[in-house]
Amino acid sequence: MTPQHMVEHLILTVKLSYGRIKIPEFEPNEKQLMQKQALIYSEIQFPRGVRAPGLGEELLELRFPDLETSKLQLLKSIEEYDSFFRIQSRITDYASQIRKNDL
């Protein structure tokens, strides 16, 4: 993975983490479940070359023309993530106040 591939991978990860990008649901097989458990509940280092289910053997195509543009897009996606959760927090606070007033 090149530095630009890694930055673009982080962009996707950030967007996936707050639902900006959706992926199809899937059922992991027994081997995948065992590997997940081994990675999560042990001290082993995350091995190189582990592929996410559903991805082919090749790297994803680059979406941006260069590393600098990719880095700017990563910063933008982090700002969008932060904004999303600030708004969600305000909505939750507002809904909580409405419930209190209804009691």
Side-chain angles (χ1 to χ4, degrees):
M1 189 177 279
T2 67
Q4 185 173 345
H5 279 101
M6 180 47 103
V7 171
E8 293 193 18
H9 172 74
L10 291 172
I11 294 168
L12 288 172
T13 302
V14 169
K15 290 180 177 182
L16 284 166
S17 71
Y18 73 101
R20 174 83 164 70
I21 295 176
K22 305 279 188 217
I23 57 172
E25 289 190 31
F26 66 93
E27 285 292 323
N29 62 39
E30 192 66 33
K31 179 181 176 187
Q32 291 168 328
L33 288 172
M34 289 175 29
Q35 289 172 335
K36 176 184 171 184
Q37 294 300 311
L39 285 171
I40 292 174
Y41 298 111
S42 73
E43 297 298 321
I44 65 171
Q45 281 192 335
F46 199 88
R48 288 179 169 242
V50 173
R51 304 289 301 173
L55 293 180
E57 291 299 313
E58 300 298 317
L59 292 172
L60 294 177
E61 290 209 18
L62 295 171
R63 298 182 54 156
F64 302 104
D66 53 50
L67 179 57
E68 208 50 47
T69 304
S70 297
K71 290 193 272 186
L72 291 172
Q73 286 299 122
L74 175 59
L75 292 174
K76 181 181 174 194
S77 68
I78 293 169
E79 289 168 0
E80 290 168 348
Y81 171 93
D82 184 59
S83 176
F84 175 84
F85 283 104
R86 284 178 193 262
I87 291 168
Q88 292 302 312
S89 176
R90 288 188 199 129
I91 291 169
T92 301
D93 291 346
Y94 180 71
S96 181
Q97 286 184 349
I98 290 173
R99 274 186 246 129
K100 284 181 188 175
N101 291 336
D102 286 345
L103 297 178

